Amino acid sequence: MKKFTCAGDIGPWREAVKEALEIKRDRFAHTHLGRNRTLLMLFFNSSLRTRLSTQKAAMNLGMNVMVLDVNQGAWKLETERGVVMDGDKAEHLLEAIPVMGCYCDIIGVRSFAGLKDRESDYQEKVIEQFIRYSGRPVFSMEAATRHPLQSFADLITIEEHKTKERPKVVLTWAPHPKALPQAVANSFCEWIGLTDYDFVITHPHGYELSPQFTGNARVVYDQDAALDGADFVYAKNWSAYAGDNYGKVLSTDRSWTIDSRKMALTDNAMFMHCLPVRRNMIVTDEVIESPQSIVIAEAANREISAQTVLKRMLESL
Ligand code: CP
């Protein structure tokens, strides 16, 4: 595997989940693969889970790991070509990328959407430049439009917890005080779209996601109706995608918060969220602390999704 930025890069999803579960059963079975290999993890944005789980995954494979927080201690990077660099950005990504490629074997990049210019965000300029100019396999640790390591972990988690061959999975928008990218929601749609699950998306009017990601999924604007009989409830906030409202918060309506009354509409559903989560905005204390909440198991599987991707990349070197 030379790149991992979207669901299509994983190949047949059942094989990928099978491989991931084998890794989970014996996560030190492939320590020889990473010997004398170095992973560079590059963060343009903050992280807790991605940083720790990916580093742990690389260590399980015997790799050396370097982590660079671009905004703390590195030169400020210009990402646009053609800019007269007379401001505060001292280095261009077009030099920085091949230089970083000299020091490592695999690169992971986290670079969120700016939420100002939809076209620019959806071109995925930053990670695409890493793929083009680093000379190394590159994987996304959340880019502008997708978070594939999260979605792969989500799929592994659903497969582990499902009690029906074809569960009903509901992605529900939930309120948040700040504008967040669509990446987790887009990616969840893309990965669940690989399966034959009964997949429903619910959100207030104005929060429609790109059809590129939602595909044939059913969109139900009545959240209670969407939750009826659900086996998994995946809550997430995202800012508006459509038109002039791109990147805006259109609603903080707390009637969309997932609470016990809403969970009672489901078929004893499991509650999922990628974390970090704003309690009593996205989900009530009661629900996230309930036995139905599998958010910690979901986060634990981030190590497994990352290790599966890194293993495949090491095998391709
Ligand atoms: N879910 C997730 O990617 O968490 P972090 O932002 O903490 O890495």
Side-chain angles (χ1 to χ4, degrees):
M1 183 186 278
K2 294 295 186 193
K3 82 165 185 80
F4 179 75
T5 61
C6 64
D9 292 331
I10 202 69
W13 73 270
R14 288 178 203 281
E15 284 176 30
V17 170
K18 184 166 172 275
E19 185 176 344
L21 294 175
E22 281 164 12
I23 287 168
K24 190 168 182 175
R25 279 191 288 277
D26 184 3
R27 55 194 84 190
F28 301 107
H30 305 98
T31 47
H32 59 285
L33 283 176
R35 191 166 171 272
N36 296 335
R37 298 293 191 183
T38 299
L39 169 66
L40 171 60
M41 297 164 62
L42 197 67
F43 288 92
F44 288 85
N45 305 95
S46 304
S47 168
L48 186 153
R49 276 144 292 275
T50 304
R51 173 186 295 243
L52 295 179
S53 62
T54 309
Q55 185 162 357
K56 178 65 165 57
M59 286 160 37
N60 293 349
L61 289 162
M63 297 186 80
N64 302 310
V65 182
M66 300 190 295
V67 182
L68 182 63
D69 283 306
V70 173
N71 298 320
Q72 286 176 9
W75 301 113
K76 269 196 158 185
L77 291 175
E78 177 57 62
T79 57
E80 295 293 328
R81 194 166 174 280
V83 169
V84 177
M85 290 175 58
D86 59 355
D88 62 343
K89 293 177 179 169
E91 179 153 25
H92 202 287
L93 208 53
L94 289 173
E95 284 78 54
I97 290 173
V99 167
M100 289 187 272
C102 295
Y103 306 143
C104 64
D105 299 286
I106 297 174
I107 303 180
V109 182
R110 167 165 281 201
S111 175
F112 291 173
L115 296 180
K116 299 266 187 294
D117 179 341
R118 185 173 90 174
E119 197 184 334
S120 173
D121 285 345
Y122 275 65
Q123 284 173 359
E124 291 286 9
K125 285 181 180 170
V126 173
I127 197 151
E128 286 300 326
Q129 290 188 80
F130 274 88
I131 291 167
R132 186 175 302 176
Y133 299 116
S134 70
R136 303 293 177 205
V138 172
F139 65 96
S140 167
M141 299 195 297
E142 187 171 341
T145 63
R146 292 176 174 93
H147 193 358
L149 285 176
Q150 179 65 53
S151 307
F152 186 15
D154 296 336
L155 184 56
I156 295 165
T157 309
I158 292 172
E159 283 294 298
E160 286 181 310
H161 287 83
K162 73 180 189 185
T163 55
K164 296 172 190 162
E165 188 53 38
R166 191 168 173 265
K168 179 175 178 182
V169 177
V170 179
L171 168 65
T172 178
W173 179 93
H176 192 283
K178 294 188 171 173
L180 298 186
Q182 298 96 35
V184 170
N186 284 344
S187 220
F188 189 74
C189 292
E190 188 177 58
W191 283 71
I192 298 305
L194 298 174
T195 73
D196 63 354
Y197 301 163
D198 179 12
F199 183 40
V200 176
I201 304 168
T202 184
H203 53 71
H205 287 278
Y207 278 100
E208 291 77 11
L209 293 163
S210 166
Q212 174 193 354
F213 295 102
T214 54
N216 295 325
R218 272 187 296 145
V219 177
V220 176
Y221 290 97
D222 177 337
Q223 191 191 36
D224 282 4
L227 293 172
D228 180 41
D231 298 298
F232 292 89
V233 175
Y234 195 102
K236 184 71 185 88
N237 173 270
W238 61 88
S239 59
Y241 167 78
D244 291 344
N245 285 329
Y246 178 70
K248 290 187 182 154
V249 174
L250 306 179
S251 167
T252 53
D253 180 358
R254 285 178 52 198
S255 73
W256 280 77
T257 301
I258 296 295
D259 58 16
S260 297
R261 184 191 70 77
K262 289 183 187 161
M263 291 301 283
L265 300 171
T266 71
D267 189 4
N268 205 25
M270 306 279 180
F271 174 81
M272 300 179 73
H273 188 280
C274 62
L275 305 181
V277 70
R278 298 247 182 175
R279 282 180 176 223
N280 304 308
M281 288 294 292
I282 301 279
V283 58
T284 61
D285 291 322
E286 197 178 12
V287 170
I288 200 165
E289 292 170 5
S290 74
Q292 295 312 110
S293 171
I294 53 172
V295 296
I296 305 303
E298 185 183 353
N301 277 334
R302 291 293 309 277
E303 178 184 341
I304 306 307
S305 63
Q307 192 168 334
T308 309
V309 169
L310 284 171
K311 173 178 170 284
R312 289 187 176 192
M313 288 192 160
L314 287 167
E315 285 168 342
S316 76
L317 291 177

